């Protein structure tokens, strides 16, 4: 049976319940076993193309974005496997689900895959999506005189390890020749950022959409100008999957099919902005049509980078930013977190729908 989680169910409730389940599973089983089944698909074997009947994927979603774009585009009805969506807020909660075998694939920013490597979890990247690099902005609480990155000195900044927002904060500090000792990093869950910045518990928080638009509706709130913050975000998001799912031939075939469906769905949203704004930003997220349009225009069309060594190097650059700030317990290598076997299906699908591989081509 194909099921979606109930719409409008509070993310914290859904996430907390599943993380609690995952934690128990981890304690009892010691996470995923190192023992592979006899029929495990090797990491260098060709991806199967036939999805056996009864195959199911549990897809970790954030803000119901994947399930909405798949449904609105019609791709959900065409998926050749059974599926279930589970909603989370941030990469750390998703990693707990992977660790307990409670999710198979997820969409995240560029930092959660790094956290997986640090944790010793084999969760390789299987596809990438590129939005405007300035899709996450440094929001400033009402009444704060903070207009430049240099003004961050002495401020309280919302900080969530293992999320893309972590790297954004560290890049911002480095650009201003500041270190983490020059500010107060307030360690929060990603879901706590909007309330923390709205109530003034922190001075600055990196916010993405639609939280950014909701925040700016509060009187006196501002943003650090993009001329200052440009380059603090990569605009990259990744589909990544747990290795145990990739070792299962049936699930590997389903993941191959899912990558293609996801690309087609996102490209549909590029080509049908009015329908996408209504389906997601208005009907799902409760924003106005005008706000939804502003968000879509600010993000720009999504592109699908080549899964190659150049992309691996971009990810290594992010690892180096976090390491240079002293925030990595150990050095990890980006190439250990990619599965390049998915590039042929990405290239085939991009060509099929007429999508683009880089923002320069769009």
């Amino acid at each position: 049976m194909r099921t979606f989680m109930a719409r409008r169910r509070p993310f914290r409730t859904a996430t907390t319940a599943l993380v609690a389940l995952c934690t128990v599973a981890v304690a009892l089983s010691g996470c995923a076993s190192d023992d592979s089944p006899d029929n495990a698909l090797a990491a260098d074997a060709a991806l199967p193309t036939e999805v056996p009947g009864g195959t199911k994927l549990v897809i970790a979603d954030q803000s119901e974005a994947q399930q909405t774009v798949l449904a609105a585009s019609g791709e959900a009805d065409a998926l050749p496997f059974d599926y279930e969506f589970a909603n989370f807020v941030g990469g750390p909660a998703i990693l707990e689900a992977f660790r307990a075998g409670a999710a198979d694939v997820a969409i995240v920013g560029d930092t959660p895959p790094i956290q997986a490597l640090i944790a010793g979890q084999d969760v390789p990247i299987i596809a990438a999506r590129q939005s405007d690099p300035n899709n996450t902005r440094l929001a400033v609480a009402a009444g704060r005189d903070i207009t430049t990155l240099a003004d961050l000195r002495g401020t309280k900044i919302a900080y969530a390890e293992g999320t893309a927002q972590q790297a954004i904060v560290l890049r911002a500090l480095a650009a201003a020749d500041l270190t983490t000792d020059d500010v107060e990093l307030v360690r929060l869950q990603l879901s706590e950022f909007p309330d923390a910045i709205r109530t003034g518990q922190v001075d600055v928080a990196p916010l993405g959409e639609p939280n950014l638009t909701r925040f700016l509706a509060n009187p006196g709130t501002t943003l650090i100008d993009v001329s200052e913050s440009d380059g603090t975000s990569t605009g990259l998001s990744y589909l990544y999957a747990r290795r145990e799912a990739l070792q299962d031939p049936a699930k590997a075939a389903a993941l191959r099919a899912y990558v293609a469906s996801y690309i087609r769905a996102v490209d549909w949203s590029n080509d049908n902005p009015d329908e996408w704004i209504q389906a997601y930003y208005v009907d799902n997220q409760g924003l106005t049509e005008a706000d939804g349009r502003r968000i879509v225009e600010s993000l720009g069309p999504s592109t699908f980078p080549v899964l190659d060594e150049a992309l691996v190097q971009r990810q290594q650059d992010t690892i180096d930013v976090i390491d240079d700030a002293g925030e990595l317990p150990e050095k990890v290598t980006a190439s250990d977190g990619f599965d390049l076997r998915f590039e042929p299906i990405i290239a085939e699908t991009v060509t099929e729908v007429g999508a683009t591989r880089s923002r320069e081509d769009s």
Side-chain angles (χ1 to χ4, degrees):
M1 179 179 181
R2 299 179 178 184
T3 60
F4 289 93
M5 289 192 68
R7 291 180 59 182
R8 298 297 180 194
R9 183 177 180 183
F11 288 155
R12 178 182 293 276
T13 300
T15 301
T16 302
L18 190 48
V19 170
L21 175 63
C22 295
T23 302
V24 171
V26 169
L28 293 177
S29 67
C31 308
S33 170
D34 290 335
D35 296 328
S36 299
D38 293 338
N39 67 337
L41 189 69
D44 59 352
L47 293 173
T49 58
E50 297 297 322
V51 183
T55 303
K56 178 181 177 179
L57 291 181
V58 179
I59 303 166
D61 208 353
Q62 297 197 60
S63 300
E64 300 186 345
Q66 288 177 92
Q67 57 190 281
T68 304
V69 75
L70 286 160
S73 65
E75 285 295 324
D77 291 334
L79 289 173
F81 51 84
D82 296 332
Y83 58 85
E84 180 180 352
F85 286 95
N87 282 297
F88 296 86
V89 180
I94 291 173
L95 184 58
E96 287 296 325
F98 280 144
R99 185 175 286 143
D104 297 309
V105 63
I107 187 79
V108 289
D110 56 3
T111 307
I114 300 170
Q115 194 68 24
L117 289 172
I118 295 169
Q121 292 298 115
D122 195 358
V123 191
I125 292 163
I126 61 175
R129 174 181 176 180
Q130 177 74 62
S131 298
D132 191 307
N134 294 306
N135 64 350
T136 300
R137 300 287 300 279
L138 293 171
V140 180
R144 306 314 199 261
D145 185 20
I146 301 170
T147 60
T148 70
L149 295 183
D151 294 334
L152 293 175
R153 184 184 296 274
T155 62
K156 295 181 178 180
I157 304 176
Y159 191 72
E161 292 182 0
T163 68
Q165 286 77 358
Q166 176 189 22
I168 290 169
V169 169
L170 296 178
R171 289 192 192 96
L173 294 177
D177 291 327
L178 300 174
T179 71
T180 54
D181 292 332
D182 296 315
V183 298
E184 181 179 345
L185 297 178
V186 181
R187 298 175 190 271
L188 301 169
Q189 297 296 318
L190 200 59
S191 59
E192 297 171 324
F193 278 26
D195 279 345
I197 185 71
R198 179 181 56 81
T199 59
Q201 297 174 50
V202 296
D203 303 309
V204 175
L207 294 181
E209 296 292 2
N211 287 327
L212 184 60
T213 289
R214 295 191 179 108
F215 169 73
L216 292 173
N218 296 289
T221 56
T222 59
L223 301 173
I224 292 180
D225 193 79
V226 72
S227 62
E228 283 279 320
S229 63
D230 185 37
T232 58
S233 172
T234 64
L236 281 170
S237 56
Y238 292 123
L239 279 176
Y240 69 158
R242 63 186 181 96
R243 177 61 67 188
E244 291 83 0
L246 290 165
Q247 289 175 330
D248 181 327
K251 288 198 173 192
L255 288 166
R256 180 183 181 277
Y258 186 65
V259 165
S261 290
Y262 179 73
I263 291 171
R264 287 193 293 265
V266 172
D267 190 64
W268 171 88
S269 72
N270 286 343
D271 295 338
N272 299 274
D274 293 342
E275 291 89 337
W276 172 235
I277 289 166
Q278 184 65 42
Y280 185 60
Y281 293 105
V282 178
D283 293 345
N284 186 280
Q285 294 294 306
L287 299 175
T288 66
E289 188 275 339
D291 280 342
R293 189 165 303 281
R294 186 190 65 77
I295 292 169
V296 167
E297 290 174 353
S298 70
L299 294 176
S302 292
T303 60
F304 306 96
V306 177
L307 212 60
D308 63 2
E309 292 304 320
L311 186 63
V312 172
Q313 184 56 53
R314 291 182 66 187
Q315 186 71 347
Q316 187 64 52
D317 292 342
T318 299
I319 291 173
D320 294 342
V321 166
I322 301 172
D323 189 48
D324 290 346
E327 293 289 296
L328 282 188
E330 61 181 83
K331 192 65 177 286
V332 291
T333 303
S335 58
D336 293 337
F338 282 81
D339 191 332
L340 304 183
R341 292 178 298 171
F342 284 82
E343 171 53 27
I345 189 61
I346 296 170
E348 177 184 321
T349 309
V350 165
T351 300
E352 168 198 325
V353 300
T356 54
R357 308 306 305 264
S358 70
R359 294 185 64 80
E360 290 74 16
D361 298 330
S362 62

